[in-house]
Amino acid sequence: MEHSLRNWIGLFLLGSINNLPYVIVTSAAKTIADSFGKKNDVGLVFGANVALSVIVKAINGLFLLKVPYWIRYVVNAMLMIIGLIGVAFAFDFWFALVCIVVVGSSAAFGENVALGYLRLFPSKCVNAWSSGTGMAGVLGSAIYIIFGCSIGESNDKSQLKTLTKYAFLLTLPAVAVYLIAYFVIIKAPKTDDTFHRGDPSIQKPLNEEERSLLHGSDEGALTVESTLHRLRRCWGLVWWLSLNLCAVYLFEYVAQGCASKVRPASEYNKGCPELFAALSFCYQAGVFVSRSSVQLFQIKRVEVLSVLQFLNMVLWIFDVHYKFIPVYLLPALMIYVGLLGGASYVNIFYLLLHEDKYPEEDREFCINIVSLFITGGIVLGTALETVLFNTVLESD
């Protein structure tokens, strides 16, 4: 258990900073769209944030699992920097979307790398990473609220663009902390020391593949099983978790997008905090609490969370049209959306890292398969939201 506290802190920081630019985009989605006169295209901002996520996750899962972790972390830090600077200086909506694609790709790639990296640590370290990703949501939305309050009430496009610019530029120093967390704070297991999934007190040797990932050697590079056969075998293990994670993300992203139209237009872009930013903060607060909960209790029946989130989505869609929910109840309902989404995420990945049914040599591959369905759910959710906002809910 040596270095357990510093590793918890390091993994928490990795999660916080990996997701921070992504969350700022999510919190700023309405402002970014409004600043370019695209108020009905909030869904495109959400969609751009995940547009290449499936591709970068697939590349990592199929081709980069033998690449040492330090190389993948450095590449991800570079993607963060490019995306943040690009969004800050975007000259039109479509260029902004391209840069948001880079931001989202960084978050997706970093998530896959980190979840694979976690298999080298005690399984409850997933709580450190997931709690960090939840904190990223709170920090990202809080940053945007603070900047929004600093410019006051405004529908002026230039002021909205200024808000976006400085929110993203001032996030750049966090990338240095990201690299410090990996290279300085975290002490990876020694080559002769790692932990049993079910009992952190039981130690076993790292296998050759794990040693090569930590230290960059070519040991264990032989592939006995074909990738297609391995994919079919692992899919049989994770299909239920994958579909549930996809569903819960689909439902929560539609609900979250509905927050941009759930009240009359005159109630947005004014006040401190601004309504959409405040609801985004409530959502992220719920995510943070539930993603930090796995060390207190675990939920194995994750399908219950999916059903409850579906009911949430239906409620928010109806409220966009009928606007029957009082504004003072919206924060509590949005916290509930975040609680369900965060609980599904952390419990699914805890099961993947903890349960003995997933072979040790296949854990990272299984994690990569399941995490693809996060992106699938977000893409489907933002597509459904965009279709609804430009058809039946266009005039609401």
Side-chain angles (χ1 to χ4, degrees), residues 14-328:
L14 284 182
S16 297
I17 297 165
N18 183 80
N19 282 29
L20 184 58
Y22 175 93
V23 171
I24 293 178
V25 167
T26 301
S27 300
K30 180 171 174 58
T31 302
I32 292 171
D34 287 351
S35 69
F36 293 103
K38 303 284 187 179
K39 69 174 185 177
N40 282 328
D41 290 326
V42 175
L44 291 180
V45 178
F46 287 130
N49 221 7
V50 297
L52 291 185
S53 295
V54 169
I55 294 174
V56 297
K57 288 182 176 183
I59 289 172
N60 180 63
L62 295 174
F63 305 111
L64 302 181
L65 295 187
K66 302 294 184 183
V67 176
Y69 286 113
W70 73 267
I71 293 177
R72 287 185 272 171
Y73 275 108
V74 170
V75 169
N76 197 49
M78 294 172 62
L79 287 174
M80 282 191 216
I81 292 170
I82 293 169
L84 287 167
I85 293 174
V87 177
F89 292 101
F91 51 84
D92 67 20
F93 184 61
W94 299 107
F95 183 79
L97 291 181
V98 170
C99 296
I100 289 168
V101 167
V102 177
V103 170
S105 298
S106 168
F109 181 69
E111 178 179 58
N112 256 32
V113 173
L115 288 169
Y117 187 50
L118 281 169
R119 72 191 178 97
L120 305 177
F121 298 86
S123 57
K124 285 198 174 181
C125 280
V126 71
N127 191 67
W129 160 265
S130 62
S131 182
T133 61
M135 178 56 72
V138 174
L139 288 175
S141 54
I143 286 170
Y144 216 75
I145 286 173
I146 291 169
F147 277 93
C149 290
S150 69
I151 68 168
E153 298 182 8
S154 177
N155 284 299
D156 180 74
K157 291 180 182 179
S158 63
Q159 283 191 293
L160 295 176
K161 288 178 182 177
T162 299
L163 168 58
T164 300
K165 177 180 178 180
Y166 288 105
F168 282 93
L169 286 181
L170 291 175
T171 306
L172 278 171
V175 181
V177 179
Y178 178 81
L179 293 173
I180 290 170
Y182 177 76
F183 286 104
V184 179
I185 298 176
I186 295 173
K187 295 297 181 184
K190 299 174 183 177
T191 56
D192 60 349
D193 180 28
T194 192
F195 299 91
H196 186 269
R197 295 292 145 196
D199 184 354
S201 66
I202 299 175
Q203 296 181 332
K204 66 177 184 61
L206 287 174
N207 61 37
E208 291 182 348
E209 181 185 12
E210 290 167 333
R211 286 200 297 271
S212 69
L213 288 170
L214 282 174
H215 305 294
S217 70
D218 293 326
E219 295 180 86
L222 292 176
T223 302
V224 177
E225 184 181 23
S226 73
T227 300
L228 183 59
H229 185 273
R230 189 186 188 195
L231 179 61
R232 286 206 309 257
R233 179 171 55 79
C234 290
W235 172 247
L237 295 173
V238 302
W239 69 272
W240 182 243
L241 295 180
S242 300
L243 294 180
N244 273 280
L245 197 59
C246 179
V248 84
Y249 267 84
L250 189 164
F251 304 148
E252 75 183 78
Y253 266 73
V254 173
Q256 191 181 7
C258 286
S260 68
K261 298 189 74 170
V262 79
R263 299 299 299 168
S266 60
E267 296 184 24
Y268 291 95
N269 291 326
K270 59 178 58 179
C272 180
E274 189 271 336
L275 180 58
F276 182 76
L279 292 176
S280 294
F281 179 83
C282 292
Y283 164 80
Q284 300 296 348
V287 170
F288 172 64
V289 170
S290 57
R291 287 194 179 190
S292 304
S293 67
V294 76
Q295 284 184 305
L296 300 176
F297 60 89
Q298 294 86 47
I299 300 171
K300 291 191 175 183
R301 297 292 302 275
V302 293
E303 64 272 14
V304 175
L305 302 172
S306 303
V307 172
L308 292 174
Q309 197 72 293
F310 170 75
L311 297 175
N312 260 343
M313 178 190 71
V314 173
L315 176 66
W316 282 85
I317 289 174
F318 272 91
D319 195 45
V320 168
H321 183 68
Y322 294 105
K323 296 178 171 51
F324 60 91
I325 299 176
V327 68
Y328 58 83

